[in-house]
Amino acid sequence: MLEKVKELISEVESAVAKTDQEVENFRLKFVGRNNVINDLFDEFKSVPSEQKRELGPALNKLKNQAQEKLKELSNALNSQSSSVSDVDVTLPGTFGKEGSVHPISQTKSRIIEIFERQGFNVEDGPEIDNDWNNFTALNFPENHPAREMQDTYFVEKNPDILLRTHTSNVQIRLMNKKKPPIRSIMPGRVYRNEAISARAHCFFHQVEGLVVGENISFKDLKNTLYHFSKEMFGKETKIRLRPSYFPFTEPSAEIDISCFICGGSGCKICKQTGWVEIAGSGMVDPNVLENCGIDSTKYSGFAFGMGIERITMLKYQIDDLRLFSENDIRFLKQF
Ligand code: DAH
C-alpha cells in the first residue's frame, strides 16, 4: 500500500493541466467526494499498526499535496486566460458611422431660432385637416383651382377631409383657440398632388407666420421679414416686396431677397435677376379674422409662409428637391 501512496504522490507532483477539463479531472480523482485518497484512508484502518507509522504521514502528505496542487493548477489556468487575450489593445478602434441632423431639420431649427428671438412662439397643427381650415376659412373661393383633385390629396369627400396643402390651416386653428395678441410661427409638412421632379414634390415643408393685434401694419410685416432675411442670409441682404395675390391676405406680397451668392449682380441661382423669392405674405384679410371670431374693426394682422426646402436649396445651392427625401447618405453626410 505504501508503494501505491508513493506512486500517487509522484503523480500529484507531476500533474499538469492545460484546460479546465483537465483541472476538473484532477479534482475528481484526488479531492472530489469519491477520491482515491479517501479509499486509501478506508484501507488504512485495517492495516497492521506497525505499518501505520509510516503509512499515516505518507497518506496525509498525499492529501495535502493534492489540495495544494489543485489550487496551483486552477490558478495557473486562470492567470493564463487573462494574460493571453485575443484583444489587441494597440489596434486602432473601429467607429460606427455617425448620423447627422437632416438639412431640412437644420433649416427649420434655424428659422425657429431667428423668429423666437423676435418674440414669436411655435405652434403646431395637424397634417390631416378639413376643408374649412385648409381652404374655406382662408377665403378660398368655392371654385378655386387649388381645391381640385389634381392639387389636393383628399382623404374623404363630403365632408371633405384632406392632407393640408399648406401650413396656413394652423392660422385658422390658432385664431379659433386664442385671441389677439398673436405672434406665432407654425412649421410643418404639407402635401400636394404634384408630379415629382427636381423642382416639385408631393410633400414638402413650410413655416407659416401670423401676427394679430391692434395697429399691426404693413410696416411690421416688412420689418419682421427684413430682420429674418439678414439673420438667415447675411447682414448685407436687402429685401423687396412684389405685389401678389393670396385669397387670405389683402394686400399680398411676395418677398424677394437680394441674391446672397452674387450680391445682386446676377448669377445662375438668381437667374441673372439679382433677386430670389423666399416667401409669400400679406395683411390678413378681414374676412379671415371674422371667420375666426376676431373683430376686424379692432384688430389687424400680417401673415407669411415660406418653404423650408426652398430656403435650404438657396442656402446650400442644391438644385434637386428629390435629394431631401431619397436618404442618400452621400448627400446627407455633407450637412
Ligand atoms: N399658403 C401659401 C402657399 O402655400 C403661402 C403663404 C402666402 C402663406 C402668404 C401666408 C401668406 O401666410 O400670407 O403658397
Side-chain angles (χ1 to χ4, degrees), residues 1 40-41 47 64 66 85 103 124 136 140 204 240 250 293 297:
M1 186 173 171
L40 292 172
F41 271 108
V47 300
N64 291 337
S85 151
D124 200 15
T136 305
F140 277 77
F204 52 100
R240 80 175 180 188
E250 182 59 37
T297 59

Side-chain angles (χ1 to χ4, degrees), residues 140-293:
F140 277 77
E142 205 57 61
N143 55 357
H144 195 283
R147 290 170 178 245
E148 282 171 24
M149 289 299 272
Q150 73 264 28
D151 290 317
T152 308
Y153 286 116
F154 288 94
V155 176
E156 272 170 39
K157 284 296 258 172
N158 289 325
D160 290 354
I161 306 292
L162 42 85
L163 297 184
R164 67 175 174 195
T165 57
H166 51 186
T167 43
S168 306
N169 68 325
V170 194
Q171 282 192 37
I172 302 302
R173 291 177 161 268
L174 184 58
M175 286 190 280
N176 276 324
K177 74 166 190 214
K178 199 175 159 222
K179 295 307 153 201
I182 293 171
R183 198 172 172 79
S184 304
I185 52 166
M186 298 144 254
R189 182 178 279 192
V190 303
Y191 302 83
R192 284 184 203 176
N193 193 356
E194 303 251 15
I196 296 169
S197 71
R199 304 251 140 233
H201 211 291
C202 59
F203 67 81
F204 52 100
H205 300 79
Q206 293 185 328
V207 175
E208 192 80 12
L210 179 70
V211 174
V212 182
E214 287 180 53
N215 302 318
I216 300 293
S217 73
F218 207 85
K219 181 188 76 190
D220 301 309
L221 160 65
K222 189 171 174 186
N223 243 328
T224 303
L225 289 163
Y226 179 58
H227 284 291
F228 165 78
S229 303
K230 279 180 173 293
E231 291 264 346
M232 191 76 200
F233 297 103
K235 276 198 171 51
E236 306 307 317
T237 311
K238 294 189 209 45
I239 66 167
R240 80 175 180 188
L241 280 72
R242 256 182 310 112
S244 185
Y245 171 78
F246 299 103
F248 36 91
T249 45
E250 182 59 37
S252 305
E254 222 108 38
I255 313 280
D256 293 346
I257 57 165
S258 55
C259 180
F260 53 92
I261 304 296
C262 63
S265 59
C267 69
K268 206 173 120 220
I269 297 290
C270 63
K271 300 193 189 89
Q272 311 303 331
T273 63
W275 297 92
V276 285
E277 184 197 317
I278 60 155
S281 68
M283 299 306 292
V284 181
D285 192 299
N287 285 344
V288 175
L289 295 175
E290 295 293 340
N291 282 340
C292 301

